[in-house]
Amino acid sequence: MSISTKKLEIKNVTGGYNGEKIIENISFSVNSGETVSIIGVSGTGKTTLFNIIAGLLKPINDGKIYLNEEDITGRSGYVGYMLQKDLLLPFKNVIENVALPLIIKGMKKDAAIETALSKLKSFSLLEKANAYPKELSGGMRQRVALLRTYFFSNEAVLLDEPFSALDSITRGSVQEWYLNVIKELKLTTVLITHDIDEAILLSDRVLILKGKPGTITYEKKIKLSRPRSNTDSEFIEIKKDLLDNI
């Protein structure tokens, strides 16, 4: 019997508020270790979709969310969710922030700290373990927040414009760091971004969410080898194709 590589599945999801549809009949899947970006203009329902995947909202139809073939529709705590703001707790240092999800899940504090320290060491954050958020640069805060999101769910994570507040130099550095993280952790990721270059740089596939209510209207597989450059001719062709379909 074959084993499915699908980690996260969204099946026929329609969502909205007060009877108004914001998204309609959304279906796609994300394979284990894959990064899928969702792009589209404002108001097409990207955040609504994320809230449903994360279990913070329920579909307004009979649509389903599956993680490892388990129905998690309307159930929070199964998929990690990182918003634009890092939301690090200012009164806890880096290691305490990163270990917090493990403690919430029931791991003893000492074990949680030890587990978190191993990841900080792996991803060049160990020297910041005892620093507080106010002592960190914006890029460093995002790195810490990404690791904390991973520990909330090491199955799959949702990233909502996680690098948008960073300047271009810092953003490039954090993107490169993140690519190393997803390779090391085999992290399954769904990313919302308004930056088409970022979507192409980071993703295995890009989905376009379009219309009101929003629907998936286009999918592009990104077959470029890494590292990728936005000055490469193939990269430019992919970008033009996506722009033509937004």
Side-chain angles (χ1 to χ4, degrees):
M1 185 174 67
S2 63
I3 298 174
S4 174
T5 61
K6 293 179 181 177
K7 178 70 71 173
L8 183 65
E9 294 182 82
I10 293 84
K11 290 191 173 183
N12 303 316
V13 166
T14 295
Y17 307 89
N18 300 320
E20 179 186 1
K21 291 180 182 178
I22 306 297
I23 55 173
E24 186 171 29
N25 293 331
I26 302 292
S27 294
F28 66 93
S29 62
V30 188
N31 295 327
S32 180
E34 186 180 30
T35 295
V36 172
S37 284
I38 299 175
I39 61 175
V41 300
S42 297
T44 52
K46 296 185 292 296
T47 299
T48 298
L49 174 60
F50 264 27
N51 285 338
I52 291 173
I53 296 173
L56 303 177
L57 289 175
K58 290 184 178 180
I60 59 175
N61 66 342
D62 58 358
K64 298 292 184 182
I65 308 296
Y66 295 96
L67 182 66
N68 294 325
E69 302 182 349
E70 178 184 356
D71 184 354
I72 61 167
T73 311
R75 299 160 65 189
S76 61
Y78 288 85
V79 178
Y81 191 0
M82 179 177 165
L83 303 172
Q84 292 177 8
K85 294 184 178 180
D86 58 69
L87 300 179
L88 297 177
L89 298 177
F91 51 86
K92 290 185 178 292
N93 62 23
V94 165
I95 190 61
E96 291 169 335
N97 267 288
V98 172
L100 182 62
L102 299 173
I103 295 170
I104 290 173
K105 289 179 180 180
M107 185 180 289
K108 291 184 178 180
K109 185 175 180 180
D110 287 348
I113 293 293
E114 184 177 346
T115 301
L117 279 171
S118 70
K119 293 304 180 189
L120 290 178
K121 184 177 181 180
S122 296
F123 299 110
S124 304
L125 291 171
L126 189 58
E127 64 181 26
K128 300 293 185 181
N130 295 313
Y132 286 84
K134 67 179 181 181
E135 300 172 309
L136 304 177
S137 66
M140 191 63 69
R141 289 175 67 110
Q142 291 302 91
R143 295 180 194 212
V144 173
L146 281 165
L147 276 184
R148 185 181 64 175
T149 302
Y150 164 73
F151 279 128
F152 267 114
S153 172
N154 57 10
E155 299 283 349
V157 298
L158 309 176
L159 305 180
D160 188 350
E161 293 278 356
F163 313 122
S164 61
L166 303 176
D167 63 80
S168 59
I169 295 175
T170 304
R171 188 173 190 169
S173 173
V174 176
Q175 287 170 342
E176 183 178 353
W177 177 86
Y178 180 65
L179 286 172
N180 291 329
V181 169
I182 59 177
K183 182 179 180 180
E184 176 77 17
L185 301 178
K186 297 179 174 60
L187 196 57
T188 303
T189 308
V190 187
L191 169 71
I192 287 175
T193 179
H194 285 93
D195 186 328
I196 295 177
D197 282 23
E198 179 172 81
I200 300 169
L201 283 168
L202 299 182
S203 306
D204 299 294
R205 284 184 289 139
V206 179
L207 308 179
I208 292 177
L209 189 63
K210 189 174 180 178
K212 291 189 177 182
T215 58
I216 301 294
T217 60
Y218 193 70
E219 175 180 321
K220 184 73 173 180
K221 291 184 179 180
I222 311 298
K223 298 180 180 180
L224 300 176
S225 60
R226 290 191 170 96
R228 298 171 180 174
S229 170
N230 60 6
T231 61
D232 180 81
S233 59
E234 287 187 80
F235 190 108
I236 293 169
E237 282 298 311
I238 292 171
K239 183 176 180 178
K240 182 179 183 300
D241 183 50
L242 290 170
L243 285 169
D244 287 343
N245 284 280
I246 289 179

